[in-house]
Amino acid sequence: MQIGLVGLQSSGKTTLFNTLSQGSLKTQSSREEALIEVVKVPDERLDKLTSIFNPKKKVNATIEVFDFPGLKMSDDNKVKITNQFMNSVRNNDALFYIIRQFKDDAVPHPMTTIDPVRDIEFLETEFLFSDLSFLENRIEKLKKEVLKSKDEKIKRELPLIEKCFAHAEKELPLRTLALDENELKLLSGYQLLTLKPLAVAINFDENSINKVDDVLREIKNKLPKLNVPVIPFFAKIEFEMSALDDKDRLSFMAGYGIKESALNKILKTSYEILGLQSFFTVGEDECRAWTIKKNFTAQQAAGVIHTDFYNKFIRAEVVHYEDFIKYGSFNKCKEAGVWRLEGKEYIVKDGDILNIRHN
Ligand SMILES: Nc1nc2c(ncn2[C@@H]2O[C@H](COP(=O)(O)OP(=O)(O)OP(=O)(O)O)[C@@H](O)[C@H]2O)c(=O)[nH]1
Ligand SMILES: [Mg+2]
């Protein structure tokens, strides 16, 4: 899974990115390309399982984070957005708008004033325009193709694209259009920007921590149709304490009244907007967390581990993490009746521990 951090210039994307990357510091060497980091998803349940099984290897789930160069003013006082930028943003599975609330005269805002509502609206509008022009071109092409071709797919596509265009023309992002599974499948290759799962993250500074609730309320009131998660974070404060060990960091954060790290919030929100969950595999060799979509069947989950496990799936041995911790071992779980054998249609739950039986 890939998530992209996008926003206006100097909103704190790279500072946030460097707190997420839990390691070496990166800076933008080229103004054109995104920074990329494979971020380990922290999971206390995996830590606990690892302490029980003492395996040779612990493997966290990962998520790829892309830090895009910020959008800046060009000479004609308009924000410059290149096709190259839009195309690379398209490749992400979900987007975070990184919006500036922090004030710092030494760091100019490309639109001079601090106004999160305006910045969110700006990004929504630009991405919507990009989708509109794409859809418009596509309609032209499809209309010609429909005349020549007998392809059923093209015939189904044209009304769908027209429906999307009509929606976007009303200045509504495509994520607010009701689409069924088949329609989404048909659209998936187009990578429409406003169809992607979205969250908004607002970067506050130490002087505006007490304003968080007011700003979130203002966004909700002024952008009632936005309807996506909005999370506050504190890039600079967190960046400054990223060198501290976990314990010191937590007490430092508590001093500011910050309850959760930006990393946790971003990852949790990513799972939420992408409809993801985790399951575990355990053993002496390896304890591992895997990421799957909600509603995945046991067979689909097996396929994430290995395609052979999908093709040659027999059954899944299943215990939920909570039960495993409660009873302490697989044998005790069997005695208690919480260890089960499930078939390929079983819907995997967040926190299931699976062992796949296959041919
Ligand atoms: N005072 C203050 N400065 C911040 C904060 N967050 C970021 N900055 C500073 O703002 C400047 C720009 O931050 P970056 O993280 O590079 O912003 P960016 O969004 O990646 O910028 P571009 O990639 O150029 O769009 C840096 O000098 C940061 O130290 C903050 O919360 N408070
Ligand atoms: Mg940057």
mmCIF file of all heavy atoms in Angstrom, residues 56-98:
data_model
loop_
_atom_site.group_PDB
_atom_site.id
_atom_site.type_symbol
_atom_site.label_atom_id
_atom_site.label_comp_id
_atom_site.label_asym_id
_atom_site.label_seq_id
_atom_site.Cartn_x
_atom_site.Cartn_y
_atom_site.Cartn_z
ATOM 1 N N LYS A 56 13.074 -16.286 15.394
ATOM 2 C CA LYS A 56 14.321 -15.732 14.856
ATOM 3 C C LYS A 56 14.062 -14.365 14.241
ATOM 4 O O LYS A 56 14.935 -13.514 14.192
ATOM 5 C CB LYS A 56 14.866 -16.667 13.776
ATOM 6 C CG LYS A 56 15.324 -18.004 14.347
ATOM 7 C CD LYS A 56 16.024 -18.843 13.284
ATOM 8 C CE LYS A 56 16.176 -20.283 13.742
ATOM 9 N NZ LYS A 56 15.329 -21.226 13.017
ATOM 10 N N LYS A 57 12.829 -14.189 13.749
ATOM 11 C CA LYS A 57 12.543 -12.958 13.006
ATOM 12 C C LYS A 57 11.174 -12.387 13.372
ATOM 13 O O LYS A 57 10.208 -13.145 13.518
ATOM 14 C CB LYS A 57 12.530 -13.287 11.500
ATOM 15 C CG LYS A 57 13.366 -12.357 10.662
ATOM 16 C CD LYS A 57 13.596 -12.948 9.277
ATOM 17 C CE LYS A 57 12.526 -12.552 8.305
ATOM 18 N NZ LYS A 57 12.648 -13.286 7.029
ATOM 19 N N LYS A 58 11.114 -11.068 13.513
ATOM 20 C CA LYS A 58 9.816 -10.405 13.665
ATOM 21 C C LYS A 58 9.611 -9.529 12.435
ATOM 22 O O LYS A 58 10.499 -8.749 12.084
ATOM 23 C CB LYS A 58 9.835 -9.539 14.930
ATOM 24 C CG LYS A 58 8.610 -8.664 15.087
ATOM 25 C CD LYS A 58 8.680 -7.870 16.372
ATOM 26 C CE LYS A 58 8.624 -6.387 16.064
ATOM 27 N NZ LYS A 58 8.631 -5.535 17.256
ATOM 28 N N VAL A 59 8.474 -9.685 11.787
ATOM 29 C CA VAL A 59 8.237 -8.883 10.580
ATOM 30 C C VAL A 59 6.956 -8.070 10.739
ATOM 31 O O VAL A 59 5.853 -8.618 10.792
ATOM 32 C CB VAL A 59 8.136 -9.772 9.315
ATOM 33 C CG1 VAL A 59 8.039 -8.899 8.068
ATOM 34 C CG2 VAL A 59 9.330 -10.721 9.209
ATOM 35 N N ASN A 60 7.125 -6.762 10.833
ATOM 36 C CA ASN A 60 5.953 -5.873 10.908
ATOM 37 C C ASN A 60 5.314 -5.723 9.534
ATOM 38 O O ASN A 60 5.990 -5.881 8.519
ATOM 39 C CB ASN A 60 6.383 -4.483 11.378
ATOM 40 C CG ASN A 60 6.762 -4.444 12.836
ATOM 41 O OD1 ASN A 60 7.792 -4.975 13.245
ATOM 42 N ND2 ASN A 60 5.920 -3.821 13.643
ATOM 43 N N ALA A 61 4.051 -5.375 9.536
ATOM 44 C CA ALA A 61 3.434 -4.945 8.277
ATOM 45 C C ALA A 61 4.104 -3.630 7.877
ATOM 46 O O ALA A 61 4.641 -2.914 8.729
ATOM 47 C CB ALA A 61 1.940 -4.749 8.469
ATOM 48 N N THR A 62 4.100 -3.317 6.609
ATOM 49 C CA THR A 62 4.704 -2.053 6.179
ATOM 50 C C THR A 62 3.751 -1.288 5.275
ATOM 51 O O THR A 62 2.822 -1.855 4.697
ATOM 52 C CB THR A 62 6.005 -2.290 5.374
ATOM 53 O OG1 THR A 62 5.708 -3.135 4.284
ATOM 54 C CG2 THR A 62 7.095 -2.896 6.228
ATOM 55 N N ILE A 63 4.003 -0.010 5.196
ATOM 56 C CA ILE A 63 3.228 0.837 4.305
ATOM 57 C C ILE A 63 4.230 1.819 3.674
ATOM 58 O O ILE A 63 5.165 2.256 4.339
ATOM 59 C CB ILE A 63 2.094 1.518 5.112
ATOM 60 C CG1 ILE A 63 0.877 1.786 4.260
ATOM 61 C CG2 ILE A 63 2.544 2.753 5.780
ATOM 62 C CD1 ILE A 63 -0.388 1.906 5.082
ATOM 63 N N GLU A 64 4.089 2.072 2.400
ATOM 64 C CA GLU A 64 5.028 2.975 1.735
ATOM 65 C C GLU A 64 4.497 4.403 1.770
ATOM 66 O O GLU A 64 3.349 4.651 1.380
ATOM 67 C CB GLU A 64 5.200 2.569 0.274
ATOM 68 C CG GLU A 64 6.370 1.648 0.039
ATOM 69 C CD GLU A 64 6.472 1.303 -1.432
ATOM 70 O OE1 GLU A 64 5.605 0.560 -1.924
ATOM 71 O OE2 GLU A 64 7.409 1.797 -2.078
ATOM 72 N N VAL A 65 5.335 5.307 2.247
ATOM 73 C CA VAL A 65 4.916 6.713 2.328
ATOM 74 C C VAL A 65 5.697 7.531 1.302
ATOM 75 O O VAL A 65 6.924 7.434 1.226
ATOM 76 C CB VAL A 65 5.139 7.277 3.743
ATOM 77 C CG1 VAL A 65 4.682 8.728 3.816
ATOM 78 C CG2 VAL A 65 4.398 6.446 4.781
ATOM 79 N N PHE A 66 4.981 8.317 0.515
ATOM 80 C CA PHE A 66 5.585 9.189 -0.492
ATOM 81 C C PHE A 66 5.411 10.637 -0.058
ATOM 82 O O PHE A 66 4.304 11.083 0.185
ATOM 83 C CB PHE A 66 4.893 9.000 -1.857
ATOM 84 C CG PHE A 66 5.284 7.716 -2.545
ATOM 85 C CD1 PHE A 66 4.986 6.492 -1.989
ATOM 86 C CD2 PHE A 66 5.960 7.757 -3.749
ATOM 87 C CE1 PHE A 66 5.360 5.311 -2.607
ATOM 88 C CE2 PHE A 66 6.343 6.579 -4.385
ATOM 89 C CZ PHE A 66 6.036 5.354 -3.809
ATOM 90 N N ASP A 67 6.533 11.346 0.047
ATOM 91 C CA ASP A 67 6.500 12.766 0.422
ATOM 92 C C ASP A 67 6.702 13.588 -0.849
ATOM 93 O O ASP A 67 7.812 13.659 -1.378
ATOM 94 C CB ASP A 67 7.625 13.026 1.446
ATOM 95 C CG ASP A 67 7.867 14.506 1.662
ATOM 96 O OD1 ASP A 67 6.925 15.298 1.476
ATOM 97 O OD2 ASP A 67 9.017 14.872 2.007
ATOM 98 N N PHE A 68 5.632 14.190 -1.325
ATOM 99 C CA PHE A 68 5.714 14.924 -2.598
ATOM 100 C C PHE A 68 6.210 16.343 -2.389
ATOM 101 O O PHE A 68 5.966 16.949 -1.336
ATOM 102 C CB PHE A 68 4.340 14.952 -3.277
ATOM 103 C CG PHE A 68 3.989 13.623 -3.891
ATOM 104 C CD1 PHE A 68 3.256 12.691 -3.177
ATOM 105 C CD2 PHE A 68 4.441 13.295 -5.157
ATOM 106 C CE1 PHE A 68 2.972 11.444 -3.718
ATOM 107 C CE2 PHE A 68 4.163 12.057 -5.705
ATOM 108 C CZ PHE A 68 3.425 11.128 -4.985
ATOM 109 N N PRO A 69 6.902 16.870 -3.397
ATOM 110 C CA PRO A 69 7.294 18.283 -3.327
ATOM 111 C C PRO A 69 6.041 19.152 -3.217
ATOM 112 O O PRO A 69 5.009 18.822 -3.803
ATOM 113 C CB PRO A 69 7.987 18.543 -4.668
ATOM 114 C CG PRO A 69 8.178 17.222 -5.312
ATOM 115 C CD PRO A 69 7.264 16.246 -4.668
ATOM 116 N N GLY A 70 6.151 20.226 -2.462
ATOM 117 C CA GLY A 70 4.990 21.086 -2.250
ATOM 118 C C GLY A 70 4.640 21.898 -3.493
ATOM 119 O O GLY A 70 5.494 22.179 -4.335
ATOM 120 N N LEU A 71 3.372 22.279 -3.563
ATOM 121 C CA LEU A 71 2.926 23.124 -4.679
ATOM 122 C C LEU A 71 3.279 24.561 -4.359
ATOM 123 O O LEU A 71 2.993 25.061 -3.271
ATOM 124 C CB LEU A 71 1.421 22.969 -4.861
ATOM 125 C CG LEU A 71 0.990 21.537 -5.185
ATOM 126 C CD1 LEU A 71 -0.520 21.389 -5.099
ATOM 127 C CD2 LEU A 71 1.497 21.136 -6.563
ATOM 128 N N LYS A 72 3.906 25.224 -5.326
ATOM 129 C CA LYS A 72 4.346 26.599 -5.040
ATOM 130 C C LYS A 72 3.846 27.570 -6.096
ATOM 131 O O LYS A 72 3.412 27.170 -7.170
ATOM 132 C CB LYS A 72 5.858 26.642 -4.929
ATOM 133 C CG LYS A 72 6.545 26.111 -6.169
ATOM 134 C CD LYS A 72 8.046 26.170 -5.994
ATOM 135 C CE LYS A 72 8.710 25.561 -7.210
ATOM 136 N NZ LYS A 72 10.136 25.463 -7.117
ATOM 137 N N MET A 73 3.982 28.842 -5.759
ATOM 138 C CA MET A 73 3.559 29.902 -6.670
ATOM 139 C C MET A 73 4.542 30.014 -7.832
ATOM 140 O O MET A 73 5.745 29.966 -7.627
ATOM 141 C CB MET A 73 3.555 31.247 -5.939
ATOM 142 C CG MET A 73 2.433 31.416 -4.983
ATOM 143 S SD MET A 73 0.892 31.534 -5.882
ATOM 144 C CE MET A 73 -0.248 31.570 -4.526
ATOM 145 N N SER A 74 4.018 30.203 -9.019
ATOM 146 C CA SER A 74 4.925 30.518 -10.118
ATOM 147 C C SER A 74 4.883 32.028 -10.345
ATOM 148 O O SER A 74 4.207 32.755 -9.619
ATOM 149 C CB SER A 74 4.535 29.745 -11.374
ATOM 150 O OG SER A 74 3.207 30.009 -11.694
ATOM 151 N N ASP A 75 5.592 32.481 -11.360
ATOM 152 C CA ASP A 75 5.785 33.931 -11.534
ATOM 153 C C ASP A 75 4.475 34.701 -11.720
ATOM 154 O O ASP A 75 4.343 35.844 -11.307
ATOM 155 C CB ASP A 75 6.712 34.194 -12.735
ATOM 156 C CG ASP A 75 8.072 33.571 -12.474
ATOM 157 O OD1 ASP A 75 8.373 33.356 -11.275
ATOM 158 O OD2 ASP A 75 8.808 33.281 -13.426
ATOM 159 N N ASP A 76 3.481 34.041 -12.356
ATOM 160 C CA ASP A 76 2.217 34.744 -12.586
ATOM 161 C C ASP A 76 1.290 34.690 -11.366
ATOM 162 O O ASP A 76 0.081 34.899 -11.474
ATOM 163 C CB ASP A 76 1.509 34.164 -13.818
ATOM 164 C CG ASP A 76 1.289 32.662 -13.680
ATOM 165 O OD1 ASP A 76 1.741 32.097 -12.655
ATOM 166 O OD2 ASP A 76 0.673 32.073 -14.573
ATOM 167 N N ASN A 77 1.890 34.345 -10.203
ATOM 168 C CA ASN A 77 1.123 34.315 -8.961
ATOM 169 C C ASN A 77 0.025 33.246 -8.940
ATOM 170 O O ASN A 77 -0.981 33.387 -8.259
ATOM 171 C CB ASN A 77 0.511 35.686 -8.683
ATOM 172 C CG ASN A 77 0.943 36.190 -7.321
ATOM 173 O OD1 ASN A 77 1.760 35.539 -6.645
ATOM 174 N ND2 ASN A 77 0.392 37.307 -6.892
ATOM 175 N N LYS A 78 0.230 32.205 -9.713
ATOM 176 C CA LYS A 78 -0.683 31.066 -9.650
ATOM 177 C C LYS A 78 0.102 29.876 -9.122
ATOM 178 O O LYS A 78 1.307 29.791 -9.311
ATOM 179 C CB LYS A 78 -1.209 30.741 -11.051
ATOM 180 C CG LYS A 78 -2.252 31.703 -11.553
ATOM 181 C CD LYS A 78 -3.179 30.977 -12.544
ATOM 182 C CE LYS A 78 -4.248 31.907 -13.064
ATOM 183 N NZ LYS A 78 -3.950 32.389 -14.424
ATOM 184 N N VAL A 79 -0.616 28.950 -8.476
ATOM 185 C CA VAL A 79 0.081 27.771 -7.997
ATOM 186 C C VAL A 79 0.360 26.857 -9.177
ATOM 187 O O VAL A 79 -0.504 26.602 -10.016
ATOM 188 C CB VAL A 79 -0.741 27.033 -6.921
ATOM 189 C CG1 VAL A 79 -0.065 25.737 -6.515
ATOM 190 C CG2 VAL A 79 -0.924 27.929 -5.714
ATOM 191 N N LYS A 80 1.614 26.409 -9.227
ATOM 192 C CA LYS A 80 2.055 25.642 -10.388
ATOM 193 C C LYS A 80 1.878 24.146 -10.129
ATOM 194 O O LYS A 80 2.392 23.613 -9.159
ATOM 195 C CB LYS A 80 3.538 25.969 -10.604
ATOM 196 C CG LYS A 80 4.069 25.544 -11.940
ATOM 197 C CD LYS A 80 5.504 26.060 -12.088
ATOM 198 C CE LYS A 80 6.417 24.904 -12.420
ATOM 199 N NZ LYS A 80 7.805 25.174 -12.130
ATOM 200 N N ILE A 81 1.118 23.500 -11.013
ATOM 201 C CA ILE A 81 0.961 22.051 -10.884
ATOM 202 C C ILE A 81 1.289 21.405 -12.224
ATOM 203 O O ILE A 81 0.641 21.682 -13.232
ATOM 204 C CB ILE A 81 -0.475 21.679 -10.475
ATOM 205 C CG1 ILE A 81 -0.827 22.392 -9.163
ATOM 206 C CG2 ILE A 81 -0.605 20.170 -10.297
ATOM 207 C CD1 ILE A 81 -2.204 22.079 -8.651
ATOM 208 N N THR A 82 2.310 20.582 -12.234
ATOM 209 C CA THR A 82 2.711 19.959 -13.497
ATOM 210 C C THR A 82 1.978 18.632 -13.681
ATOM 211 O O THR A 82 1.495 18.032 -12.714
ATOM 212 C CB THR A 82 4.220 19.666 -13.507
ATOM 213 O OG1 THR A 82 4.491 18.740 -12.438
ATOM 214 C CG2 THR A 82 5.044 20.919 -13.304
ATOM 215 N N ASN A 83 1.914 18.181 -14.940
ATOM 216 C CA ASN A 83 1.332 16.869 -15.208
ATOM 217 C C ASN A 83 2.132 15.772 -14.540
ATOM 218 O O ASN A 83 1.584 14.785 -14.067
ATOM 219 C CB ASN A 83 1.306 16.602 -16.714
ATOM 220 C CG ASN A 83 0.153 17.349 -17.348
ATOM 221 O OD1 ASN A 83 -0.824 17.684 -16.679
ATOM 222 N ND2 ASN A 83 0.285 17.628 -18.632
ATOM 223 N N GLN A 84 3.441 15.966 -14.515
ATOM 224 C CA GLN A 84 4.307 14.970 -13.885
ATOM 225 C C GLN A 84 3.917 14.781 -12.412
ATOM 226 O O GLN A 84 3.841 13.663 -11.915
ATOM 227 C CB GLN A 84 5.760 15.431 -13.992
ATOM 228 C CG GLN A 84 6.744 14.379 -13.521
ATOM 229 C CD GLN A 84 8.124 14.973 -13.258
ATOM 230 O OE1 GLN A 84 8.359 16.159 -13.501
ATOM 231 N NE2 GLN A 84 9.021 14.155 -12.758
ATOM 232 N N PHE A 85 3.641 15.919 -11.746
ATOM 233 C CA PHE A 85 3.218 15.854 -10.345
ATOM 234 C C PHE A 85 1.905 15.075 -10.233
ATOM 235 O O PHE A 85 1.797 14.124 -9.456
ATOM 236 C CB PHE A 85 3.049 17.275 -9.792
ATOM 237 C CG PHE A 85 2.449 17.313 -8.406
ATOM 238 C CD1 PHE A 85 3.252 17.160 -7.287
ATOM 239 C CD2 PHE A 85 1.082 17.489 -8.230
ATOM 240 C CE1 PHE A 85 2.700 17.175 -6.006
ATOM 241 C CE2 PHE A 85 0.518 17.512 -6.959
ATOM 242 C CZ PHE A 85 1.336 17.360 -5.848
ATOM 243 N N MET A 86 0.905 15.465 -11.009
ATOM 244 C CA MET A 86 -0.395 14.813 -10.921
ATOM 245 C C MET A 86 -0.282 13.319 -11.210
ATOM 246 O O MET A 86 -0.905 12.497 -10.559
ATOM 247 C CB MET A 86 -1.384 15.448 -11.902
ATOM 248 C CG MET A 86 -1.946 16.780 -11.425
ATOM 249 S SD MET A 86 -2.857 16.607 -9.861
ATOM 250 C CE MET A 86 -3.543 18.245 -9.689
ATOM 251 N N ASN A 87 0.542 12.965 -12.202
ATOM 252 C CA ASN A 87 0.658 11.556 -12.564
ATOM 253 C C ASN A 87 1.319 10.730 -11.475
ATOM 254 O O ASN A 87 0.923 9.594 -11.227
ATOM 255 C CB ASN A 87 1.423 11.402 -13.880
ATOM 256 C CG ASN A 87 0.571 11.878 -15.037
ATOM 257 O OD1 ASN A 87 -0.659 11.927 -14.922
ATOM 258 N ND2 ASN A 87 1.205 12.257 -16.131
ATOM 259 N N SER A 88 2.311 11.303 -10.800
ATOM 260 C CA SER A 88 2.935 10.493 -9.753
ATOM 261 C C SER A 88 2.035 10.426 -8.510
ATOM 262 O O SER A 88 2.031 9.423 -7.813
ATOM 263 C CB SER A 88 4.346 10.960 -9.417
ATOM 264 O OG SER A 88 4.386 12.341 -9.277
ATOM 265 N N VAL A 89 1.242 11.473 -8.272
ATOM 266 C CA VAL A 89 0.294 11.413 -7.153
ATOM 267 C C VAL A 89 -0.774 10.343 -7.411
ATOM 268 O O VAL A 89 -1.209 9.642 -6.500
ATOM 269 C CB VAL A 89 -0.361 12.797 -6.921
ATOM 270 C CG1 VAL A 89 -1.510 12.712 -5.928
ATOM 271 C CG2 VAL A 89 0.672 13.789 -6.404
ATOM 272 N N ARG A 90 -1.153 10.209 -8.685
ATOM 273 C CA ARG A 90 -2.150 9.202 -9.066
ATOM 274 C C ARG A 90 -1.814 7.782 -8.650
ATOM 275 O O ARG A 90 -2.693 6.959 -8.484
ATOM 276 C CB ARG A 90 -2.261 9.173 -10.596
ATOM 277 C CG ARG A 90 -3.412 9.914 -11.129
ATOM 278 C CD ARG A 90 -3.397 9.911 -12.630
ATOM 279 N NE ARG A 90 -3.616 11.242 -13.132
ATOM 280 C CZ ARG A 90 -4.740 11.902 -12.938
ATOM 281 N NH1 ARG A 90 -5.736 11.345 -12.315
ATOM 282 N NH2 ARG A 90 -4.871 13.137 -13.364
ATOM 283 N N ASN A 91 -0.505 7.477 -8.550
ATOM 284 C CA ASN A 91 -0.107 6.093 -8.251
ATOM 285 C C ASN A 91 -0.313 5.687 -6.805
ATOM 286 O O ASN A 91 -0.108 4.536 -6.454
ATOM 287 C CB ASN A 91 1.368 5.888 -8.614
ATOM 288 C CG ASN A 91 1.543 5.944 -10.108
ATOM 289 O OD1 ASN A 91 0.661 5.539 -10.856
ATOM 290 N ND2 ASN A 91 2.670 6.474 -10.556
ATOM 291 N N ASN A 92 -0.693 6.634 -5.951
ATOM 292 C CA ASN A 92 -0.883 6.290 -4.540
ATOM 293 C C ASN A 92 -2.266 5.685 -4.303
ATOM 294 O O ASN A 92 -3.214 5.975 -5.012
ATOM 295 C CB ASN A 92 -0.714 7.540 -3.674
ATOM 296 C CG ASN A 92 0.724 8.003 -3.649
ATOM 297 O OD1 ASN A 92 1.505 7.541 -2.836
ATOM 298 N ND2 ASN A 92 1.085 8.874 -4.571
ATOM 299 N N ASP A 93 -2.339 4.833 -3.266
ATOM 300 C CA ASP A 93 -3.624 4.208 -2.934
ATOM 301 C C ASP A 93 -4.502 5.146 -2.116
ATOM 302 O O ASP A 93 -5.725 5.050 -2.152
ATOM 303 C CB ASP A 93 -3.394 2.921 -2.135
ATOM 304 C CG ASP A 93 -2.615 1.904 -2.951
ATOM 305 O OD1 ASP A 93 -3.125 1.518 -4.014
ATOM 306 O OD2 ASP A 93 -1.512 1.518 -2.536
ATOM 307 N N ALA A 94 -3.861 6.023 -1.341
ATOM 308 C CA ALA A 94 -4.618 6.989 -0.542
ATOM 309 C C ALA A 94 -3.798 8.261 -0.423
ATOM 310 O O ALA A 94 -2.575 8.238 -0.579
ATOM 311 C CB ALA A 94 -4.904 6.439 0.852
ATOM 312 N N LEU A 95 -4.481 9.374 -0.167
ATOM 313 C CA LEU A 95 -3.781 10.653 -0.069
ATOM 314 C C LEU A 95 -4.044 11.316 1.276
ATOM 315 O O LEU A 95 -5.127 11.176 1.859
ATOM 316 C CB LEU A 95 -4.256 11.599 -1.183
ATOM 317 C CG LEU A 95 -3.991 11.146 -2.619
ATOM 318 C CD1 LEU A 95 -4.608 12.137 -3.608
ATOM 319 C CD2 LEU A 95 -2.495 10.990 -2.870
ATOM 320 N N PHE A 96 -3.025 12.009 1.765
ATOM 321 C CA PHE A 96 -3.174 12.880 2.924
ATOM 322 C C PHE A 96 -2.878 14.302 2.458
ATOM 323 O O PHE A 96 -1.805 14.554 1.910
ATOM 324 C CB PHE A 96 -2.171 12.502 4.031
ATOM 325 C CG PHE A 96 -2.607 11.338 4.864
ATOM 326 C CD1 PHE A 96 -2.506 10.054 4.384
ATOM 327 C CD2 PHE A 96 -3.128 11.542 6.149
ATOM 328 C CE1 PHE A 96 -2.915 8.971 5.153
ATOM 329 C CE2 PHE A 96 -3.539 10.469 6.916
ATOM 330 C CZ PHE A 96 -3.434 9.181 6.427
ATOM 331 N N TYR A 97 -3.830 15.209 2.678
ATOM 332 C CA TYR A 97 -3.517 16.621 2.466
ATOM 333 C C TYR A 97 -2.800 17.098 3.732
ATOM 334 O O TYR A 97 -3.355 17.005 4.828
ATOM 335 C CB TYR A 97 -4.792 17.455 2.320
ATOM 336 C CG TYR A 97 -5.598 17.215 1.063
ATOM 337 C CD1 TYR A 97 -6.896 17.716 0.979
ATOM 338 C CD2 TYR A 97 -5.078 16.532 -0.031
ATOM 339 C CE1 TYR A 97 -7.659 17.529 -0.163
ATOM 340 C CE2 TYR A 97 -5.833 16.349 -1.169
ATOM 341 C CZ TYR A 97 -7.120 16.839 -1.239
ATOM 342 O OH TYR A 97 -7.874 16.656 -2.355
ATOM 343 N N ILE A 98 -1.586 17.601 3.557
ATOM 344 C CA ILE A 98 -0.848 18.126 4.712
ATOM 345 C C ILE A 98 -1.037 19.643 4.692
ATOM 346 O O ILE A 98 -0.577 20.333 3.776
ATOM 347 C CB ILE A 98 0.649 17.752 4.646
ATOM 348 C CG1 ILE A 98 0.811 16.242 4.432
ATOM 349 C CG2 ILE A 98 1.370 18.233 5.905
ATOM 350 C CD1 ILE A 98 0.174 15.361 5.506
#
